[in-house]
Amino acid sequence: MTYFENIDQIKYEGHKSTNPLAFKYYNPEEKVAGKSMEDTLRFGVAYWHTFTMDGSDPFGSGNMIRSWDKFKGMDLAKARVEAGFEFFEKLNVPFFCFHDIDIAPEGENLRETYKNLDEIVLMIKEYMSTSNTKLLWNTANMFSHPRFVHGAATSINADVFAYSAAKVKKGLEIAKDLGSENYVFWGGREGYETLLNTDMKLELDNLGRFFHMAVDYAKEIGYNGQFLIEPKPKEPSKHQYDFDVATSLAFLQSYDLQDHFKFNIEANHATLAGHTFEHELCVARINGMLGSVDANQGDGLLGWDTDEFPTDLYATTLAMYEVLKNGGLGRGGLNFDAKVRRGSFEQEDLFHAHIAGMDSFAIGLKVAQKLIDDKVLEEFIEKRYDSYNHGIGKEIIEGNTDFRKLEDYALQLGDIQNTSGRTERLRATINQYLLSVSSE
Ligand code: XLS
Ligand code: CA
Ligand code: CA
């Protein structure tokens, strides 16, 4: 059966093409700094937003038109797999990602849920055996069902802790079975509402215990994928424990877990935390913790997680700059954790949205590489910190000084001279690069 009847294979046609169903900038084979775009960008489709999301919001019911929605239950789950692989192939996307409950419906009890999962995982495995699309990551949804009202591993209820452990155990077995590159932990309800009723220390200790058990179990079954924590400051929790990269890194260090995890950084979560996307990528990179990216964008006018498809070229450029500085994403990728707007309810919009996102990151990659090749920011930054290359600065860096010596030095200083940061000039240069590289 065909689910996207009127859509042919999406091809690269170059930036002069007027065909909306073609890539203008993403050319999978094109080499940027010796590596194909496909291998650097490692795009992924998010199963939940693309195949299960129905467009409902707190004010209105689902409105998405989807050819697989005529099915119900397990038949619907199977139709989604078929539609999924047709979509991945037509888009020529190398990866996809899912939560357990995205691919198979929950049963009456955990045993039945496992049974449903096993059936669909087997089907996915068969499709994967003849497809070029691989699994970037899977995860367990431990936030939708009412049992997770007070969290999962940080729940007040030990039964919920145990149930969550069973879900992650199953998730790791699926990850191993499908050769998933990574396994993600996003703790949407791992947080609290008010300290009036919360033992924060116990909850964090339990989260640490939970992660250690996950590390041990992956080792036991021989699953070698990368573990990723996905920070987010809030929503649905009022205060989420994995607030941002810095907070989550401190948590990992406190519980001696830092060697087993990296971060999955989502653009919209960064902005919700009051950071830029590139800030979160940079904090992860300089700590050797940049694992993967959830590629989307928020809306400056709305204060919640809108998960829009990324089209802001400035943001994709600065994000790719961090990714390139990191030497790439390793086992990670750029997963479009993004949903079409409620107004974009036709099935074709799924293609337009992914094409827009893929082209935006392809431009970002090219511009970022050119900025690096021309050392535009590097040279400026190097010069800016030049005072640490000689004299007292060099003494500070080399650890040859102390407060007494620095005081002696400061006492004989005259007026201190600073230099301009040139923010506006640098922004104008980025614009210049964006315009020239994207019209090449
Ligand atoms: C929600 C998160 C979620 C994770 C996976 O805001 O982005 O979708 O990526 O559970
Ligand atoms: Ca995400
Ligand atoms: Ca999000």
Side-chain angles (χ1 to χ4, degrees), residues 107-289:
E108 291 287 311
N109 52 46
L110 191 56
R111 237 176 259 288
E112 208 179 296
T113 300
Y114 280 177
K115 199 172 148 264
N116 293 349
L117 270 171
D118 289 341
E119 200 176 330
I120 300 297
V121 167
L122 193 67
M123 183 175 172
I124 291 180
K125 202 174 171 179
E126 270 165 30
Y127 270 85
M128 283 176 76
S129 68
T130 56
S131 158
N132 294 325
T133 305
K134 298 196 283 283
L135 187 56
L136 184 64
W137 53 261
N138 63 311
T139 186
N141 177 320
M142 304 199 289
F143 43 91
S144 294
H145 193 280
R147 76 176 69 86
F148 300 115
V149 60
H150 299 309
T154 64
S155 173
I156 52 150
N157 186 341
D159 286 352
V160 177
F161 186 102
Y163 195 97
S164 307
K167 268 177 81 94
V168 172
K169 176 178 176 288
K170 185 73 178 166
L172 292 172
E173 289 158 9
I174 292 171
K176 174 157 194 237
D177 200 14
L178 296 180
S180 187
E181 300 271 334
N182 307 273
Y183 187 86
V184 164
F185 294 88
W186 172 65
R189 293 195 196 272
E190 309 290 29
Y192 68 87
E193 166 77 26
T194 166
L195 285 178
L196 295 178
N197 62 15
T198 302
D199 184 340
M200 195 198 285
K201 178 79 169 71
L202 176 66
E203 293 199 1
L204 286 171
D205 286 352
N206 278 348
L207 191 57
R209 290 182 182 106
F210 193 90
F211 285 147
H212 272 290
M213 287 188 234
V215 168
D216 291 346
Y217 189 66
K219 203 167 159 200
E220 189 187 321
I221 62 170
Y223 172 59
N224 302 318
Q226 174 67 55
F227 276 10
L228 300 171
I229 289 196
E230 181 180 326
K232 184 175 182 180
K234 56 190 167 197
E235 197 200 1
S237 297
K238 186 160 106 181
H239 180 100
Q240 195 177 311
Y241 289 133
D242 299 328
F243 193 94
D244 59 2
V245 172
T247 311
S248 308
L249 180 57
F251 167 84
L252 290 174
Q253 286 164 343
S254 301
Y255 290 89
D256 200 19
L257 285 159
Q258 68 276 20
D259 296 340
H260 304 288
F261 287 81
K262 285 189 175 177
F263 293 109
N264 181 38
I265 293 164
E266 180 176 318
N268 205 166
H269 297 182
T271 49
L272 278 177
H275 301 305
T276 58
F277 185 15
E278 63 269 22
H279 167 97
E280 287 293 82
L281 293 166
C282 184
V283 177
R285 170 175 69 78
I286 62 178
N287 285 289
M289 299 292 275

Side-chain angles (χ1 to χ4, degrees), residues 310-329:
T311 49
D312 176 345
L313 301 182
Y314 215 94
T316 60
T317 297
L318 297 186
M320 284 316 295
Y321 184 83
E322 287 300 326
V323 168
L324 291 172
K325 288 287 235 182
N326 193 57
L329 287 168

Side-chain angles (χ1 to χ4, degrees), residues 253-418:
Q253 286 164 343
S254 301
Y255 290 89
D256 200 19
L257 285 159
Q258 68 276 20
D259 296 340
H260 304 288
F261 287 81
K262 285 189 175 177
F263 293 109
N264 181 38
I265 293 164
E266 180 176 318
N268 205 166
H269 297 182
T271 49
L272 278 177
H275 301 305
T276 58
F277 185 15
E278 63 269 22
H279 167 97
E280 287 293 82
L281 293 166
C282 184
V283 177
R285 170 175 69 78
I286 62 178
N287 285 289
M289 299 292 275
L290 177 49
S292 198
V293 173
D294 270 6
N296 63 11
Q297 67 186 27
D299 185 318
L301 301 180
L302 304 172
W304 65 90
D305 192 16
T306 57
D307 285 343
E308 292 176 15
F309 273 86
T311 49
D312 176 345
L313 301 182
Y314 215 94
T316 60
T317 297
L318 297 186
M320 284 316 295
Y321 184 83
E322 287 300 326
V323 168
L324 291 172
K325 288 287 235 182
N326 193 57
L329 287 168
R331 304 188 75 140
L334 295 171
N335 165 49
F336 290 112
D337 188 353
K339 58 179 175 236
V340 289
R341 300 303 87 196
R342 186 169 156 87
S344 309
F345 52 83
E346 291 177 20
Q347 213 165 264
E348 184 180 309
D349 289 306
L350 294 173
F351 278 94
H352 293 304
H354 281 86
I355 291 169
M358 290 161 89
D359 273 342
S360 299
F361 268 92
I363 295 173
L365 164 63
K366 288 176 94 167
V367 179
Q369 185 61 54
K370 191 94 179 31
L371 287 167
I372 289 174
D373 290 345
D374 293 355
K375 298 196 166 61
V376 175
L377 303 179
E378 274 88 345
E379 256 170 24
F380 187 82
I381 291 172
E382 219 177 283
K383 234 170 148 188
R384 198 161 180 236
Y385 293 87
D386 187 49
S387 68
Y388 289 96
N389 290 325
H390 44 78
I392 195 70
K394 197 164 179 232
E395 302 283 295
I396 294 169
I397 298 282
E398 290 175 353
N400 294 332
T401 189
D402 57 27
F403 268 17
R404 276 180 214 288
K405 289 187 203 155
L406 289 169
E407 184 187 53
D408 291 345
Y409 178 84
L411 285 170
Q412 49 81 36
L413 276 175
D415 272 353
I416 293 179
Q417 300 296 320
N418 263 310

